[in-house]
Amino acid sequence: MGATGAVFQPELIELMRAVLDDAAVMLTEAKRTSAMKAEIASNILACAAKGERDPVALRIAALSAIVECTHYSHDISPERRAV
């Protein structure tokens, strides 16, 4: 992940939490799992640990976790997809 040993200021922690909450709201209820939230948080933390402080960039990192975790469903035929 790359965030090992990173120290974040309270303002950044608040921003990262808001980004995580915003991203979680974008998920369907069925996909709003602790595992998905952990993946989103991991991407946000990794981005912030590299020095990113721009809210837009942190949101992009959060959204990339959503896309990466859900892209496989497009490879499944419509007949086999769960509703």
Side-chain angles (χ1 to χ4, degrees):
M1 173 172 80
T4 303
V7 177
F8 301 113
Q9 296 300 318
E11 297 82 17
L12 179 58
I13 294 170
E14 185 177 320
L15 173 62
M16 291 187 297
R17 180 181 298 273
V19 170
L20 175 62
D21 291 343
D22 290 347
V25 168
M26 297 176 72
L27 298 170
T28 63
E29 190 68 34
K31 293 187 180 192
R32 207 172 297 160
T33 64
S34 58
M36 179 64 84
K37 288 181 184 177
E39 185 65 29
I40 294 168
S42 177
N43 280 18
I44 294 168
L45 285 168
C47 189
K50 292 177 185 172
E52 188 58 67
R53 300 299 182 259
D54 179 31
V56 174
L58 293 172
R59 283 185 181 87
I60 290 170
L63 294 174
S64 70
I66 294 171
V67 171
E68 289 170 12
C69 290
T70 59
H71 79 280
Y72 68 88
S73 66
H74 299 290
D75 296 332
I76 302 171
S77 67
E79 298 80 28
R80 297 190 63 201
R81 287 187 193 154
V83 177

